[in-house]
């Protein structure tokens, strides 16, 4: 009987599960069939991700320039995207090593630019468009391209998450082929990274908010929705009972790619539609946690919540636990949570800040009503919440962060604290007014129960908000 | 026996007159309030009945269908007016007629029908309380 390889948590001796982690938990033995989708960078409200999308396009902008200047050697050097084995994504069965797009893509891109003047002039609005413009580029290649260009940012993210989850790092692990954005050159270097105990290779963690099963813009989707515009009309034959089904005309990708290159208006139309429908482009993993996994994680979180005492000594533990619970409850609506976030001048420090990337329901309403993509949680591991805690949270709220904030604490607030929360709302000088909602351990427990039972936790917070707004009227 | 002087008698008459005038003013004020409350009550009953009937029709066929933003605006306007009319009546259920806060998800039609029913019942209780006085107002007016 073959022994099952250890899970990521077992290998590093930590209690992380996919239900409460901000990153995609790697499978140490094999690739996970998902991809890094550049469209999720494009549609994000996080300026860091938007900047990464710009950098991704800048690489191809530079490649176009090199081609125009006749610098084929420079083009070959730049357009070089081997598979990033360290992230462990790919559609290869049973191993962590695919082929990647080493030197082939430069040939494909050069071929594209030479044969299509229209594309040369139009440029690329999304890297994923290459799937529709070149026969040899599929979803996995788009993921490789993105992962290569983002590698340095992902290394930084891996180091942050490793510190948070206490994942051991190996000092100066060798990492090849990362992009120096300033020089537009590929470099090799050494970074502090966790190492896969099975293969001995460095591991890079990827935030789940930029991961999908397939890129939002992909060839199969294009073919099923827009390609009919490029195909000759089907003859309308009379139909009668028992008649054989009329076969759809299927054409090879090579032929379709040639047609798209000739008529990029169809590509523009498709891309414009996908941009318009971006609200439906949600991060998605291949195996979202099932009921037993949710139960295990939920029970573990509840047990830890019951075991942490109040007081300053356990404040850090409580803060980390609240972070894990909020991940468990609200990912992917609230995502990219960061602890101990300092303000621009470092004068203030927020306990927990999340990016609000919700596309529906209460969190979307909160982002649009309070005009901020950020949501703040202050964490107070105290026996009794005081008015000063509310005052402190109120000073953090404002135009730069958000006018809606949360205070997470151990017990329900006293009547005096509730009055203070109302007065913060009523004394706000401008609209929208400052809203502070207090979430106690008892609220957290109820929301965990909802999540474990397969129900979303958001309606509970929505009810807290509705109740606040009704009472404060 | 001490006889009141002419001046004292005059003062007493004036005081009694002032008291009668104050009472009359109070009575007039009360009549005006009763009259206005009766008018306002009739207006709100008319709006509440209209909204209730229309939403009840929808709720019978599609009870869990979310209401529209316009429906919420109209219902909230009614609830605010009902609460204002009944604010000094000590009716705890009327005080609890909070405005609907969608907060990202519109409430279901059946829930709005329930709230409208509560508003109608609060208006009925108000009518029962002042019905006899309103009849007096009606006679005084007529």
């Amino acid at each position: 009987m073959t022994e099952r390889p250890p899970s990521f948590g077992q290998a590093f001796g930590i209690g992380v599960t996919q239900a409460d982690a901000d990153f995609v938990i790697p499978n140490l033995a094999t690739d996970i069939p998902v991809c890094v989708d550049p469209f999720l960078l494009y549609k994000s409200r996080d300026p860091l991700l938007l900047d990464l999308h710009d950098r991704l396009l800048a690489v191809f902008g530079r490649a176009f320039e090199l081609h125009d200047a006749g610098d084929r050697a420079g083009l070959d050097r730049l357009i070089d995207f081997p598979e990033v084995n360290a992230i462990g994504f790919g559609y290869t069965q049973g191993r962590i090593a695919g082929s990647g797009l080493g030197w082939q893509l430069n040939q494909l891109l050069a071929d594209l630019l030479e044969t299509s003047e229209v594309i040369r002039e139009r440029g690329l609005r999304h890297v994923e468009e290459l799937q529709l413009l070149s026969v040899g580029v599929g979803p996995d290649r788009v993921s490789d391209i993105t992962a290569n260009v983002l590698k340095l940012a992902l290394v930084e993210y891996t180091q942050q998450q490793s510190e948070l989850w206490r994942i051991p790092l190996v000092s100066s692990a060798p990492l090849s082929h990362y992009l120096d954005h300033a020089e537009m050159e590929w470099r090799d270097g050494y970074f502090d990274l966790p190492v896969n105990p099975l293969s001995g290779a460095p591991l890079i963690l990827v935030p789940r908010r930029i991961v999908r099963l397939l890129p939002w813009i992909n060839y199969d989707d294009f073919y099923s929705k827009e390609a009919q515009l490029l195909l000759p009309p089907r003859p309308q034959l009379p139909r009668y009972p028992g008649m054989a089904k009329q076969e759809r005309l299927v054409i090879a990708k090579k032929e379709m790619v040639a047609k798209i290159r000739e008529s990029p208006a169809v590509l523009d139309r498709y891309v414009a539609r996908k941009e318009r429908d971006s609200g439906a482009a949600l991060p998605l993993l291949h195996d979202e946690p099932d009921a037993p996994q949710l139960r295990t994680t939920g029970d573990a979180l509840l047990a830890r919540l019951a075991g942490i005492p109040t007081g300053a000594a356990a404040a850090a533990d409580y803060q980390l636990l609240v972070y894990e619970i909020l991940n468990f409850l609200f990912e992917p609506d609230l995502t990219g949570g960061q602890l101990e976030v300092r303000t621009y001048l470092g004068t203030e420090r927020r306990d927990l800040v999340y990016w609000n990337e919700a596309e529906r329901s209460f969190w979307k309403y909160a982002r649009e009503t309070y005009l901020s993509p950020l949501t703040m949680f202050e964490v107070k591991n105290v026996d009794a919440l005081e008015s000063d805690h509310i005052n402190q949270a109120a000073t953090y709220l404002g135009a730069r962060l958000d006018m809606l904030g949360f205070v997470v604490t151990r017990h329900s607030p006293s009547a005096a604290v509730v009055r203070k929360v109302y007065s913060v709302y009523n004394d706000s000088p401008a609209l929208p007014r400052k809203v502070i909602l207090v979430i106690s351990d008892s609220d957290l427990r109820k929301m965990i129960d909802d999540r474990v039972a397969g129900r979303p936790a958001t309606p509970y917070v929505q009810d807290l908000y509705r109740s606040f707004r009704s009472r404060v009227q | 026996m001490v006889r009141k002087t002419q001046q004292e008698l005059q003062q007493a008459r004036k005081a009694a007159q002032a008291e009668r005038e104050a009472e009359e003013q109070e009575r007039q004020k009360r009549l005006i309030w009763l009259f206005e409350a009766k008018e306002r009550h009739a207006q709100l009953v008319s709006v509440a009945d209209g909204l209730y009937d229309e939403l009840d029709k929808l709720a019978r066929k599609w009870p869990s269908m979310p209401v529209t933003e316009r429906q919420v605006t109209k219902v909230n306007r009614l609830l605010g007016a009902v609460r204002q009319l009944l604010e000094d009546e000590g009716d705890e259920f009327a005080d609890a007629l909070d405005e609907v806060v969608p907060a990202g998800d519109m409430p279901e039609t059946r829930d709005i029908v329930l709230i409208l029913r509560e508003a109608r019942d609060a208006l009925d209780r108000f009518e029962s309380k002042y019905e006899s006085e309103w009849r007096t107002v009606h006679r005084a007016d007529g």
Side-chain angles (χ1 to χ4, degrees), chain B residues 130-142:
Chain B
Y130 294 103
E131 206 174 6
S132 59
E133 283 187 87
W134 284 347
R135 275 200 289 272
T136 318
V137 175
H138 188 66
R139 278 200 296 274
D141 194 39

Side-chain angles (χ1 to χ4, degrees), chain B residues 102-116:
Chain B
D105 293 304
M106 287 295 172
E108 293 179 358
T109 310
R110 56 186 162 193
D111 289 338
I112 295 294
V113 168
L114 181 70
I115 293 169
L116 286 171

